[in-house]
Amino acid sequence: MTSKPGLNHVNIFWITSIHIVALASIFYFSWTNLIVCLVGVFLLAPLGINVGYHRLLCHRAFVADTWLRNSLAVLGVLLGAGPPMHWVAMHRMHHRYSDTDKDPHNSNLGFWYSHILHLFRKDEQEASGNYLERYAPDLAADPFMVKLNRYWIWLAFATLPALYFVGGLGLVLWGGFLRLMFTWHIMWFVNSASHMWGYRNYPTRDKTVNCWWVGILAAGEGWHNNHHAIPNCAAHGHKWWEFDISFQFIRLFEFFGWVRDVKRPPTSSQFVDAEAAFLQS
Ligand SMILES: [Zn+2]
Ligand SMILES: [Zn+2]
């Protein structure tokens, strides 16, 4: 008999606490603190989370030199995206079961559920055991990723004394807590808003859409219907107006020769073929 998954008290405690502490940032405003926060949210998070965790580790949309792959994974940990193997396993589960009962953040259960509330309950598949080996066997076979998955919490916490040492309590609040809160909500909007409000380029079986404001805020991740249609494509913007900063980072790395085998977006004729393939499937 399988027991019903309960509340995830660890997540409830941390997510709530970080939101409450982040509010104290308003008493410590400085231009330096603001700039550090913005750099974290709009420059480092797209690198660590979008390029590293999502497009490289999860979808293998390009091949990267080992030093770059490992650095991006460490950056994702430092930015508070959690252990990479867990992130990848959950996200692959999301793609496999998108908008069904088995989707970890099923958008049919409403905006707040897919945005944040799913994190407050223990996931059924996660509770059932070997989900990491099942959904992330490639990472489970990589000793560096296994180590990162084991010790991630120490690395993530190490950012706080480092920020304090550089800029005192104000920088801890702006560069640590507030930055993390914004990063999380932007990442979560991809799961919530980009499954609800926008237009569709591809007739996928899920409810994914391209949501323009998430496209901008999340550095390209908001073109989510495109992404669900062709998950291993390194570019999430497939039309000229779908600007995708994260893909520009990948192109830059390619220019330097640090990445290769970059999966490109379809050309307009391939775009029509892809659309037709979906309609026939
Ligand atoms: Zn999705
Ligand atoms: Zn994805």
Side-chain angles (χ1 to χ4, degrees):
M1 192 182 103
T2 50
S3 58
K4 231 179 150 40
L7 293 176
N8 187 331
H9 295 103
V10 176
N11 275 3
I12 292 173
F13 173 78
W14 281 113
I15 292 170
T16 310
S17 305
I18 282 162
H19 279 75
I20 292 168
V21 176
L23 292 177
S25 306
I26 50 174
F27 301 111
Y28 289 86
F29 174 81
S30 80
W31 289 105
T32 308
N33 291 344
L34 176 67
I35 289 166
V36 170
C37 180
L38 293 178
V39 166
V41 173
F42 294 111
L43 184 71
L44 298 181
L47 278 171
I49 301 171
N50 303 354
V51 175
Y53 273 36
H54 192 196
R55 304 190 195 190
L56 175 61
L57 296 182
C58 186
H59 292 294
R60 290 180 283 192
F62 58 96
V63 176
D65 288 350
T66 307
W67 71 267
L68 181 65
R69 176 184 157 91
N70 292 350
S71 304
L72 291 172
V74 169
L75 186 60
V77 168
L78 294 176
L79 293 168
M85 276 165 68
H86 172 83
W87 197 104
V88 166
M90 284 294 141
H91 190 68
R92 286 179 180 164
M93 229 183 273
H94 166 63
H95 274 270
R96 179 175 293 184
Y97 301 113
S98 195
D99 295 326
T100 69
D101 290 348
K102 287 183 176 173
D103 182 348
H105 32 85
N106 179 7
S107 73
N108 291 310
L109 299 177
F111 172 84
W112 287 109
Y113 182 83
S114 56
H115 189 74
I116 186 170
L117 292 179
H118 68 276
L119 295 164
F120 291 173
R121 64 182 271 276
K122 279 202 179 101
D123 189 89
E124 231 166 306
Q125 313 233 16
E126 192 182 344
S128 74
N130 64 347
Y131 73 105
L132 291 180
E133 287 76 12
R134 197 162 155 216
Y135 288 97
D138 47 339
L139 299 191
D142 179 336
F144 183 83
M145 293 298 160
V146 172
K147 265 205 194 90
L148 204 52
N149 216 60
R150 192 170 299 151
Y151 301 114
W152 71 277
I153 193 85
W154 299 105
L155 268 177
F157 271 110
T159 57
L160 298 179
L163 287 166
Y164 185 80
F165 182 73
V166 174
L169 184 59
L171 198 65
V172 171
L173 291 171
W174 281 79
F177 290 86
L178 191 67
R179 190 260 319 146
L180 183 58
M181 193 185 89
F182 283 138
T183 301
W184 277 351
H185 280 283
I186 290 173
M187 188 168 71
W188 297 338
F189 274 134
V190 179
N191 300 333
S192 54
S194 294
H195 276 253
M196 287 178 185
W197 306 311
Y199 63 91
R200 285 161 65 82
N201 284 340
Y202 299 93
T204 54
R205 291 191 192 90
D206 48 48
K207 294 164 74 180
T208 52
V209 287
N210 293 331
C211 180
W212 69 268
W213 55 272
V214 182
I216 293 167
L217 276 180
E221 298 277 304
W223 315 120
H224 202 54
N225 171 249
N226 297 347
H227 171 56
H228 270 256
I230 313 175
N232 69 347
C233 179
H236 290 192
H238 292 183
K239 300 215 169 169
W240 67 265
W241 66 85
E242 294 166 350
F243 188 56
D244 180 0
I245 299 172
S246 302
F247 182 57
Q248 300 310 315
F249 284 130
I250 296 169
R251 286 185 61 202
L252 190 68
F253 292 152
E254 190 182 36
F255 174 78
F256 288 132
W258 300 336
V259 312
R260 60 214 147 269
D261 297 336
V262 177
K263 316 274 189 319
R264 302 277 167 184
T267 60
S268 46
S269 62
Q270 287 168 329
F271 186 83
V272 173
D273 289 347
E275 226 172 4
F278 268 107
L279 286 171
Q280 281 164 17
S281 64

